[in-house]
Amino acid sequence: MDLLSLRFIGWFFTLVPAAALAIGALILFRLYQAGGLARRYAEQSLWNDLNLVAIWTAGMLGGIGVLREQSWALWLLEFFCWVQCVLVIMSGAYRLYALKRTAGEARVNWVTAVAGVVVVALPILAFCGATILTLRGDVAKQTLTG
C-alpha cells in the first residue's frame, strides 16, 4: 500500500516548487527595484540563491517527471526530498543557534523555541518521508520504470 498517490505527488511537487521559484523571483525583483540586491550579495553569496534555485527546479522537474511517468523522476524527486529534509533540519538548528547567540544574558524559553521549530519541521519531514516511501514502493517502480 502506497502512502500517497503518484498523481498527487506529481502535481504537488510540480506546483509547490513552481510557486517557491516564483515567490523567490518576486522577492529578488523587489530587492533589485529597492536597490537592496547589491547589498544582499555583498553580505551573502550569490551561490546561496543559485543553489536554492537549482534545488527547487529539481523538485519541479521531478514532479513533472512523475506526471509524465518518466523513470528518472524516481531518483530526482527522492533526491529533492532528501535535500529538503537536510535543509529543514539545518534551518531549524541554525535558528535555535541564532536565538542562543542573540539572547546573550536574556532568559530564553527553549521549550517554546524548540516546539516552534518542530511544528514547522515535522510536517515537512513527514511529507517528504511519505513521498520517499511511496517512490520506493512497487506501484511507483512499475509505473515509472515500465
Side-chain angles (χ1 to χ4, degrees), residues 47-113:
W47 289 108
N48 294 339
D49 288 343
L50 291 177
N51 283 327
L52 285 175
V53 167
I55 291 165
W56 284 104
T57 300
M60 186 177 66
L61 292 175
I64 292 169
V66 168
L67 290 174
R68 297 190 67 197
E69 297 182 358
Q70 302 293 313
S71 61
W72 51 263
L74 280 173
W75 65 264
L76 185 60
L77 202 48
E78 184 173 340
F79 171 76
F80 174 75
C81 286
W82 282 112
V83 169
Q84 282 299 109
C85 289
V86 170
L87 288 176
V88 164
I89 291 168
M90 287 178 58
S91 176
Y94 177 76
R95 290 176 188 279
L96 292 174
Y97 175 75
L99 177 64
K100 179 183 176 188
R101 193 179 66 222
T102 58
E105 298 295 319
R107 184 157 158 58
V108 175
N109 186 345
W110 287 104
V111 173
T112 304

Side-chain angles (χ1 to χ4, degrees), residues 12-47:
F12 183 86
F13 285 103
T14 298
L15 297 176
V16 170
L21 288 167
I23 291 168
L26 180 63
I27 290 170
L28 291 176
F29 180 70
R30 295 286 186 173
L31 275 173
Y32 174 75
Q33 282 184 326
L37 194 59
R39 186 178 71 242
R40 174 182 172 82
Y41 291 133
E43 295 171 359
Q44 296 180 4
S45 173
L46 173 66
W47 289 108

